[in-house]
Amino acid sequence: MSFLKPKLYLRKFFRSFFYILSPIFLIILILIYPFKLIRFGFLPSDRMGEIAIIMEIYLANKFRKLNIPNKPFIDIFIYGDIEANYTYNNLLRSKICVLSNIVVFPIYRLIKFLSKSLEFFNRFIIDLPFKDKFLSISQTDVQLKVDQKFIDRGNEFLKKIGISPKDKIICLIVRDKAYLDKKYPERNWEYHNFRDCNIENFKEAINFATDRGYYVFRMGEFVEKHLDIKNEKFIEYSRDYRTDFLDIYLAYRCSFCLSTSTGYDVIPGFTFRKPVLFTNFVPAGDFLSFSKNFIFSIKLHYDSIKKKFLTIKDISEYNLSYSFNSKEYIEKNVKLIENTPEEIKQMTEEMIDVIENKSTNSDIDKNMQEKFWRIYNKYFDFDHMFNKNISKIKKKFLL
C-alpha cells in the first residue's frame, strides 16, 4: 500500500479546497430542493463485498420503486480513495452517477455532520442498507448487465487455458487472513479470524466436483496457502491468472460458488444471482436467507469448559447469534470447529444435484428442513435489525 500514499496525500490536498466551497454547494442544494432533490451516497469501494451488497440492494429496490423519494431526484455516488476491483466499479458506473470524491466528498461530509442534529438534512443522504429487508433481490433479475464484448473477452481467456464455452465452472473462495493483512497492513484484522478456514479441508470437494465434470477455480487476490492438487480441472487462479476483470467474469460465468462466507461470494450470489454453497458460516444468525439458491452450513460451536457442542438455542442464549468479533467467542470459551472434508464434499454433491435437477428430497429431508427453520426462526431474533412489520414478513418468508 505504500506506493499509494503519495497519491492519497495529493487527493487530500486538492480535496481541502472543496471543503472551503462546500457551504456554498449546500446552499444551492437547499435552494433547488423544492424542485428537485439531490442525494449523495458514499460507497465503500475498498471492500468488494460491502459495495456489492449495498448496491445490489439499492438497484433492486430502485427497480421495484421501493425506498425512493416521492419527488424528482438525482442520486450521486462517490467512491473512496481505494478501489478493490476496478472492473466491478466500472460496471456500476453504467447504472449510477459516480462523481469525483475530491469534489463531492466534502459536501457529503458536511451534510452528514449536519444531519446528526438537524433531521432536514437526512433527505440529502441516500439510504444504503446492508440488509435486503424488502426481499428485492429475490424478486428482481440481474441489474448489472454485461455486454457481448465482456463475454467474448472472458471466453477468450478460457479458450487459452483449454476450457470451452460449454464447460461448467465452480468458483471456490476460502477465507483466510492473507487478503486483509497484505492489502491493508496498517490495520489489525485479528477480530475477523473467527471466519478463517483451512483450504486443505476442501480437497475432497474439489476432486468430487471435477469428477462430476466441473472446473474449479481457486479465487482470491491473496491467499495464505496454495493447494498441491494434481488435477487438470483444478485451477490455482489466485496464483496464476488473477485479474480484476477475471474476478468479475468468472463470477458471471460460474455454475455456482463454493464459499466460506467472504466478500467475493457477493458478486456471483448477489450481483449475478448464482447459487452459492456457504460452508462454515458464522455468525450463525446472519444467514442470507432471501435466496432459494443458497445452501448453508455453520461452524460447530463447542463450549471448551462444559465440553459440549452448542445447539441453535444455546448459541442464542450465549448471545453469539450475531457476533462479528473473534474476541466474543474467546471470552465465552466457545471454539468454532470447521466442517469436515467429508461434510464439505457431501454439501458440494447436494449443490451439484440441485443445479443439475437431480436432487430427490425425501420426506425425512423435508421434515428436517422444516424443523431446522422453525428452531432457527424461534431463537435468532430479527427484530434487532428490522422493524416488527418487516420482521414478520421475513419470518414468514423463512418458514
Side-chain angles (χ1 to χ4, degrees):
M1 295 294 291
S2 58
F3 71 93
L4 284 175
K5 286 185 178 180
K7 181 180 177 180
L8 297 179
Y9 289 141
L10 193 60
R11 292 177 72 89
K12 289 180 180 179
F13 172 75
F14 285 115
R15 198 152 47 220
S16 63
F17 291 102
F18 289 94
Y19 275 106
I20 299 171
L21 296 173
S22 59
I24 299 174
F25 292 148
L26 180 59
I27 293 172
I28 295 172
L29 291 176
I30 295 172
L31 290 174
I32 67 174
Y33 171 71
F35 311 100
K36 180 161 288 188
L37 170 63
I38 298 179
R39 304 192 302 171
F40 298 89
F42 178 78
L43 300 178
S45 56
D46 59 328
R47 302 291 296 278
M48 184 163 57
E50 291 184 14
I51 188 174
I53 287 175
I54 290 171
M55 290 313 298
E56 200 55 42
I57 295 171
Y58 167 85
L59 292 172
N61 283 341
K62 187 177 180 181
F63 180 83
R64 298 180 66 206
K65 295 180 170 57
L66 298 173
N67 201 33
I68 60 174
N70 56 5
K71 64 183 299 181
F73 70 98
I74 297 174
D75 283 348
I76 296 174
F77 293 90
I78 44 177
Y79 293 151
D81 288 328
I82 300 172
E83 297 186 36
N85 188 290
Y86 288 99
T87 299
Y88 174 82
N89 290 344
N90 286 334
L91 274 180
L92 203 51
R93 282 185 174 93
S94 68
K95 294 286 289 188
I96 63 174
C97 175
V98 181
L99 297 182
S100 168
N101 73 5
I102 294 176
V103 178
V104 180
F105 187 70
I107 179 65
Y108 170 80
R109 282 285 300 273
L110 178 60
I111 293 172
K112 286 289 285 185
F113 173 76
L114 294 172
S115 67
K116 293 177 182 179
S117 54
L118 297 171
E119 177 65 25
F120 171 78
F121 290 99
N122 279 314
R123 65 198 66 198
F124 297 103
I125 302 295
I126 304 170
D127 180 26
L128 296 173
F130 274 95
K131 297 295 178 180
D132 185 16
K133 62 183 180 181
F134 298 114
L135 305 175
S136 292
I137 294 178
S138 62
Q139 300 181 58
T140 55
D141 194 7
V142 173
Q143 297 298 302
L144 285 186
K145 304 289 187 181
V146 300
D147 57 23
Q148 191 60 46
K149 183 179 179 181
F150 177 97
I151 297 170
D152 290 343
R153 179 182 172 187
N155 287 344
E156 185 63 28
F157 159 74
L158 292 181
K159 182 180 178 181
K160 288 180 180 178
I161 62 173
I163 299 177
S164 76
K166 294 183 179 180
D167 286 327
K168 297 171 291 188
I169 289 173
I170 298 170
C171 289
L172 168 65
I173 181 76
V174 177
R175 192 192 190 284
D176 59 40
K177 61 183 180 180
Y179 175 80
L180 291 177
D181 284 350
K182 291 183 180 180
K183 194 85 170 179
Y184 310 108
E186 69 280 0
R187 289 185 59 182
N188 183 350
W189 298 100
E190 289 184 359
Y191 71 95
H192 267 307
N193 288 351
F194 74 98
R195 299 169 59 198
D196 294 342
C197 294
N198 183 2
I199 184 62
E200 294 288 336
N201 291 337
F202 289 79
K203 281 185 175 181
E204 291 186 23
I206 292 168
N207 288 326
F208 174 84
T210 57
D211 287 343
R212 288 284 292 262
Y214 289 79
Y215 286 86
V216 179
F217 281 72
R218 167 83 184 284
M219 311 301 293
E221 184 172 355
F222 301 109
V223 298
E224 275 192 313
K225 180 181 180 181
H226 294 290
L227 277 180
D228 182 21
I229 297 181
K230 294 180 180 179
N231 186 330
E232 62 181 12
K233 288 190 173 183
F234 173 70
I235 293 92
E236 264 290 9
Y237 163 83
S238 61
R239 179 188 63 200
D240 300 329
Y241 302 109
R242 192 263 153 199
T243 66
D244 278 11
F245 168 77
L246 290 175
D247 279 354
I248 308 305
Y249 169 76
L250 290 171
Y252 161 81
R253 174 67 170 74
C254 71
S255 299
F256 72 92
C257 178
L258 172 53
S259 176
T260 59
S261 181
T262 185
Y264 176 76
D265 50 49
V266 175
I267 304 299
F270 280 64
T271 305
F272 295 120
R273 308 296 199 274
K274 295 299 180 75
V276 181
L277 170 54
F278 291 99
T279 69
N280 297 288
F281 199 97
V282 276
D286 202 42
F287 278 6
L288 306 173
S289 54
F290 65 83
S291 176
K292 65 181 180 180
N293 292 328
F294 296 165
I295 294 177
F296 296 92
S297 69
I298 65 173
K299 284 186 177 181
L300 295 180
H301 294 55
Y302 184 76
D303 188 322
S304 57
I305 300 297
K306 296 181 180 179
K307 306 295 183 184
K308 72 164 190 173
F309 288 100
L310 304 187
T311 64
I312 294 293
K313 179 182 178 182
D314 293 332
I315 295 171
S316 176
E317 291 178 348
Y318 279 48
N319 292 320
L320 293 174
S321 305
Y322 298 94
S323 292
F324 286 91
N325 195 316
S326 300
K327 184 179 178 181
E328 295 175 19
Y329 297 94
I330 295 170
E331 288 175 345
K332 294 176 182 179
N333 302 302
V334 172
K335 182 179 180 181
L336 295 172
I337 299 177
E338 295 182 38
N339 304 153
T340 66
E342 177 61 24
E343 288 167 343
I344 297 171
K345 188 193 81 170
Q346 289 176 353
M347 286 184 281
T348 303
E349 180 179 7
E350 180 181 349
M351 176 60 89
I352 291 175
D353 285 344
V354 168
I355 65 176
E356 292 183 354
N357 296 316
K358 296 178 181 178
S359 178
T360 55
N361 288 329
S362 65
D363 290 338
I364 294 176
D365 292 330
K366 293 177 182 177
N367 289 336
M368 288 177 65
Q369 285 291 325
E370 291 175 1
K371 181 179 180 181
F372 170 81
W373 286 112
R374 280 197 298 270
I375 296 170
Y376 188 92
N377 186 55
K378 179 179 179 180
Y379 290 109
F380 290 165
D381 171 34
F382 296 99
D383 287 342
H384 76 294
M385 287 185 287
F386 310 138
N387 66 49
K388 290 185 178 180
N389 290 331
I390 295 299
S391 180
K392 289 177 182 176
I393 294 171
K394 187 172 178 70
K395 288 178 180 178
K396 182 178 179 181
F397 182 80
L398 273 170
L399 292 175

